[in-house]
C-alpha cells in the first residue's frame, strides 16, 4: 500500500498482497503466524540462542559465591584404609643370651635377636574437621564473588538490550524491504496494464509501434526488479526466523505500519540517563570490583587463625577383624599463621591492584564523557532524519501528482511511453526514499532510547 495513493490503489494493493502470499509462500498448505513488532520481540526473548547462552553464563557467575562461601564454612573429610601386608617386618636388637652364661666368670654374652613388628592386616579410619576462624582474605573473596555475580547479571541485561535492539532493526529492515517489494509489485502491475492498453490501441491504430514497444520494455524492466525485491524480502524473512528461533519451515507474516512515526520533544537529564545505562553500571561495578581486589591484596598482610579437630582409629591383626590391637586418637589444634616475608610478591600484587583500579576509574570517566556526546549526537541525528522525512514526503507527493497527470496524459497520447516510464520511475524512487527515511529514523530512535536508558 502506497503512502501517496491510498484510495486509488487500495483495492489493487490488497489484491496483490493476497495473491502474493497465497501463491508465492504456499500459505494454503501450512499454518501462518502473524508477527507484529511486540510479538516478534517477545519471541526473541524466549527463543534466541545467544540470550540463552548469556543467561547460563550469568548462572555460572552465581556459582562463584558458593565457592567463596566454602572457605568460611567448616570442612569435614573422612578417610578409611584397609592394608594387607604381603611380608613380615622385623626389629633387630642385641639381648642377653642367658642360655650360654660363662660358668667360670658368670658373664652373660650378647646375641642378636629379632621380633616381628607388623600384623598381616591393618585398618585405619580418620575424620578431620577444619574451620577458618579468622581470614580477611576469605571475607574479601566472598565480597568479590558477590560483586562478580552482580557483574554477570548486568552483562546478561546488556546482552539482552543489544540483541533486542538488533532484532528490532532487523524487523524494521524486513518491513522496509516488504514495502519495496509491494511497490515493485504495484509498479509491475501498472506497467503490465499500460502495455495491455497500449496493445489494444496499437491494434486499433491509435498509437505507433514504437509506443507499443516502449510500453513493453517498461513492463519487462519491472520484472527483474520485482524478482530481486522478492528475493531480498525472503532472505530477510529467513533472518528473522533465525534471530527469533522460529522453525525455518514455518510460514510467517510481519505486520507493521512504517508510516507511523513521531519526533518526541523530551528534555533528557544527561546525568540520570547515563547513571541508568546498563553499560555505565557495568563500568561502576568493575570499578568497585577493583577496589575490593585492593582490599583483598591488603588482607594478605594480616595473620590467619584456623581450627582443626580430628579422630583417628587404628587396628591391626593377623586375622580378618578390626577389633584387635586398637588405638584411638582424638585431638584439636589451633594454627596461627603470620605472614612475614614473601620476597616482594605481596607488595607487587597490591601495587598492580591499585594501578588496575586507577585505570578502571579513568575508563569510567572517559565513558561518561563519551556517552554524553553520544546522546547529543543522536539527538541531532534524530532531528535531521525527521526533517529528511518531511522533505521526502513532500517530494513523494509531488512525484505522485506528476505520475497521476502523466498517466492521464498518456491515455490521450499526449506524452510518449518513454516519458511515462521516466515519471513512473521517479515516483517509485520517491516512495522508496520515503520508506528508507522513515526506516533510518526509527533505527536511530532505537539507538536513542538505548542511549538514554529507555529500555
Amino acid at each position: 500500500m502506497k503512502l501517496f495513493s491510498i484510495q486509488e490503489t487500495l483495492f489493487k494493493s490488497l489484491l496483490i498482497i493476497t495473491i502474493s502470499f497465497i501463491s508465492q509462500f504456499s500459505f494454503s498448505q501450512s499454518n501462518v503466524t502473524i508477527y507484529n513488532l511486540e510479538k516478534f520481540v517477545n519471541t526473541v526473548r524466549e527463543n534466541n540462542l545467544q540470550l540463552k547462552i548469556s543467561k547460563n553464563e550469568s548462572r555460572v557467575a552465581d556459582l562463584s559465591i558458593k565457592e567463596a562461601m566454602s572457605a568460611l564454612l567448616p570442612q569435614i573429610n573422612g578417610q578409611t584404609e584397609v592394608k594387607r601386608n604381603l611380608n613380615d617386618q622385623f626389629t633387630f636388637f642385641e639381648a642377653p643370651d642367658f642360655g650360654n652364661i660363662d660358668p667360670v666368670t658368670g658373664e652373660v654374652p650378647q646375641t642378636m635377636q629379632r621380633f616381628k613388628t607388623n600384623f598381616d592386616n591393618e585398618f585405619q579410619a580418620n575424620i578431620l574437621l577444619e574451620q577458618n576462624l579468622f581470614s580477611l582474605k576469605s571475607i574479601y573473596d566472598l565480597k568479590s564473588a558477590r560483586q562478580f555475580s552482580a557483574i554477570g547479571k548486568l552483562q546478561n541485561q546488556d546482552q539482552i538490550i543489544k540483541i533486542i535492539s538488533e532484532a528490532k532493526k532487523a524487523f524494521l529492515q524486513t518491513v522496509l524491504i516488504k514495502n519495496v517489494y509491494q511497490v515493485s509489485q504495484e509498479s509491475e502491475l501498472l506497467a503490465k496494464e499500460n502495455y495491455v492498453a497500449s496493445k489494444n490501441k496499437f491494434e486499433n491504430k491509435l498509437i505507433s509501434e514504437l509506443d507499443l514497444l516502449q510500453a513493453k520494455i517498461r513492463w519487462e524492466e519491472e520484472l527483474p526488479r520485482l524478482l530481486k525485491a522478492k528475493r531480498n524480502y525472503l532472505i530477510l524473512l529467513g533472518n528473522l526466523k533465525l534471530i527469533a528461533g522460529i522453525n525455518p519451515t514455518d510460514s510467517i507474516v510481519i505486520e507493521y505500519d512504517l508510516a507511523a512515526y513521531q519526533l518526541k520533544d523530551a528534555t533528557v537529564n544527561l546525568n540520570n540517563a547515563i547513571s541508568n545505562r546498563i553499560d555505565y553500571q557495568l563500568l561502576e561495578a568493575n570499578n568497585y570490583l577493583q577496589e575490593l581486589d585492593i582490599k583483598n591484596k591488603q588482607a594478605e598482610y594480616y595473620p590467619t587463625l584456623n581450627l582443626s579437630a580430628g579422630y583417628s582409629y587404628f587396628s591391626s591383626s593377623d586375622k580378618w577383624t578390626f577389633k584387635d590391637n586398637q588405638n584411638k586418637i582424638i585431638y584439636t589444634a589451633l594454627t596461627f599463621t603470620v605472614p612475614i616475608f614473601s620476597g616482594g610478591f605481596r607488595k607487587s600484587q597490591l601495587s598492580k591492584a591499585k594501578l588496575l583500579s586507577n585505570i578502571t576509574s579513568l575508563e569510567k570517566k572517559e565513558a561518561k564523557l563519551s556517552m554524553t556526546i553520544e546522546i547529543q549526537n543522536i539527538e541531532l541525528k534524530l532531528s535531521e532524519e525527521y526533517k529528511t522525512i518531511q522533505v521526502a514526503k513532500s517530494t513523494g507527493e509531488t512525484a505522485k501528482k506528476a505520475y497521476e497527470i502523466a498517466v492521464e496524459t498518456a491515455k490521450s497520447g499526449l506524452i510518449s511511453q518513454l516519458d511515462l516510464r521516466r515519471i513512473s520511475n521517479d515516483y517509485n524512487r520517491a516512495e522508496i526514499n520515503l520508506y528508507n527515511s522513515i526506516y533510518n529514523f526509527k533505527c536511530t530512535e532505537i539507538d536513542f532510547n538505548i542511549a538514554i536508558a529507555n529500555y
Side-chain angles (χ1 to χ4, degrees):
M1 182 173 62
K2 292 188 175 182
L3 290 175
F4 311 124
S5 54
I6 298 177
Q7 294 181 351
E8 295 86 344
T9 61
L10 179 60
F11 177 76
K12 292 180 181 179
S13 299
L14 292 176
L15 180 61
I16 290 171
I17 295 171
T18 303
I19 295 175
S20 173
F21 287 145
I22 291 176
S23 61
Q24 296 171 10
F25 304 117
S26 302
F27 289 168
S28 59
Q29 299 182 9
S30 61
N31 294 327
V32 180
T33 305
I34 300 176
Y35 287 90
N36 56 21
L37 181 58
E38 181 180 1
K39 183 176 180 179
F40 177 74
V41 169
N42 291 334
T43 305
V44 172
R45 290 182 184 276
E46 294 176 2
N47 300 332
N48 184 270
L49 295 179
Q50 289 298 321
L51 289 183
K52 291 182 179 180
I53 293 173
S54 178
K55 187 176 181 180
N56 287 328
E57 289 175 345
S58 177
R59 290 176 179 174
V60 171
D62 290 338
L63 296 177
S64 61
I65 298 178
K66 294 183 178 180
E67 294 175 357
M69 181 67 74
S70 65
L72 300 174
L73 297 177
Q75 305 291 315
I76 302 176
N77 296 296
Q79 182 184 28
T80 61
E81 181 184 81
V82 178
K83 183 167 71 172
R84 173 71 177 180
N85 293 315
L86 301 179
N87 65 325
D88 294 333
Q89 299 177 26
F90 300 93
T91 297
F92 296 89
F93 62 94
E94 288 185 347
D97 185 2
F98 292 102
N100 296 312
I101 299 176
D102 191 328
V104 179
T105 63
E107 293 182 357
V108 180
Q110 300 289 323
T111 184
M112 187 65 68
Q113 298 187 16
R114 68 175 186 177
F115 287 91
K116 181 181 177 182
T117 59
N118 70 308
F119 294 89
D120 292 341
N121 303 305
E122 296 180 6
F123 173 76
Q124 178 179 348
N126 301 301
I127 296 178
L128 177 64
L129 167 68
E130 294 179 307
Q131 174 62 56
N132 184 347
L133 298 180
F134 177 78
S135 174
L136 279 178
K137 186 178 186 306
S138 297
I139 295 174
Y140 284 116
D141 281 343
L142 179 58
K143 290 184 177 182
S144 297
R146 288 173 175 167
Q147 184 64 13
F148 184 70
S149 176
I151 290 174
K153 290 181 174 63
L154 287 173
Q155 288 176 334
N156 182 47
Q157 293 179 32
D158 187 55
Q159 185 76 348
I160 291 173
I161 291 169
K162 290 178 179 177
I163 290 178
I164 293 301
S165 65
E166 292 302 319
K168 288 180 178 178
K169 291 180 180 179
F171 185 89
L172 292 175
Q173 185 182 26
T174 308
V175 172
L176 169 65
I177 300 304
K178 177 183 176 182
N179 281 273
V180 172
Y181 179 36
Q182 292 176 3
V183 169
S184 298
Q185 287 177 308
E186 294 175 5
S187 181
E188 188 271 337
L189 178 61
L190 293 174
K192 183 177 180 181
E193 291 177 350
N194 181 63
Y195 169 66
V196 172
S198 298
K199 189 175 181 181
N200 292 332
K201 291 180 180 180
F202 175 74
E203 291 174 352
N204 293 322
K205 299 182 179 181
L206 297 177
I207 61 173
S208 66
E209 184 178 4
L210 178 60
D211 290 332
L212 175 62
L213 293 175
Q214 288 178 340
K216 184 179 181 181
I217 290 173
R218 181 195 167 203
W219 173 45
E220 291 176 343
E221 284 180 342
E222 295 295 337
L223 293 176
R225 296 175 186 173
L226 178 61
L227 293 174
K228 182 179 179 181
K230 176 184 176 182
R231 180 201 64 191
N232 293 338
Y233 175 55
L234 291 177
I235 290 175
L236 291 178
L237 209 59
N239 289 340
L240 291 188
K241 293 180 182 180
L242 177 63
I243 295 171
I246 302 171
N247 192 321
T249 60
D250 290 349
S251 298
I252 65 172
V253 176
I254 57 175
E255 288 186 349
Y256 187 82
D257 185 9
L258 196 62
Y261 60 91
Q262 181 182 1
L263 180 63
K264 298 178 181 179
D265 295 328
T267 303
V268 178
N269 188 314
L270 291 177
N271 289 328
N272 291 340
I274 293 175
S275 62
N276 291 330
R277 285 178 56 153
I278 298 297
D279 51 355
Y280 185 75
Q281 291 176 6
L282 262 173
L283 292 171
E284 289 185 318
N286 280 309
N287 193 16
Y288 181 59
L289 183 63
Q290 292 295 335
E291 293 175 359
L292 287 175
D293 189 47
I294 293 175
K295 295 179 180 179
N296 193 309
K297 296 300 186 293
Q298 290 172 337
E300 294 184 4
Y301 285 90
Y302 291 84
T304 60
L305 181 63
N306 295 301
L307 168 69
S308 60
Y311 170 79
S312 297
Y313 173 83
F314 300 91
S315 71
S316 56
S317 175
D318 290 331
K319 301 178 181 180
W320 289 104
T321 178
F322 298 146
K323 296 182 179 180
D324 296 344
N325 306 312
Q326 298 180 15
N327 280 305
K328 300 177 182 179
I329 301 174
I330 301 174
Y331 66 92
T332 59
L334 285 174
T335 303
F336 185 70
T337 305
V338 179
I340 297 177
F341 180 70
S342 65
F345 178 78
R346 284 190 293 266
K347 184 177 180 181
S348 64
Q349 289 292 301
L350 179 58
S351 299
K352 185 188 295 184
K354 289 180 178 179
L355 285 173
L356 292 175
S357 177
N358 186 44
I359 292 172
T360 306
S361 179
L362 293 174
E363 288 176 345
K364 186 181 72 172
K365 292 180 180 178
E366 182 186 25
K368 188 172 184 179
L369 292 174
S370 177
M371 291 174 184
T372 302
I373 300 300
E374 177 191 7
I375 293 174
Q376 293 173 348
N377 289 342
I378 296 178
E379 281 183 314
L380 292 173
K381 189 177 179 183
L382 269 179
S383 178
E384 175 188 349
E385 290 179 347
Y386 184 80
K387 293 177 181 178
T388 302
I389 293 175
Q390 305 309 311
V391 174
K393 186 176 180 181
S394 176
T395 303
E397 290 173 349
T398 303
K400 169 185 174 290
K401 186 175 181 180
Y403 176 72
E404 291 174 345
I405 294 174
V407 169
E408 295 299 324
T409 307
K411 290 179 181 179
S412 60
L414 297 179
I415 65 171
S416 65
Q417 288 294 325
L418 184 61
D419 292 331
L420 179 61
R421 182 174 60 180
R422 178 179 55 79
I423 296 174
S424 176
N425 290 338
D426 290 342
Y427 181 29
N428 290 339
R429 281 195 298 269
E431 191 164 29
I432 292 174
N433 285 339
L434 177 59
Y435 285 132
N436 192 63
S437 299
I438 298 175
Y439 162 74
N440 290 333
F441 175 79
K442 288 181 177 291
C443 288
T444 304
E445 195 173 38
I446 293 173
D447 293 336
F448 181 70
N449 287 329
I450 293 176
I452 63 173
N454 183 21
Y455 304 129

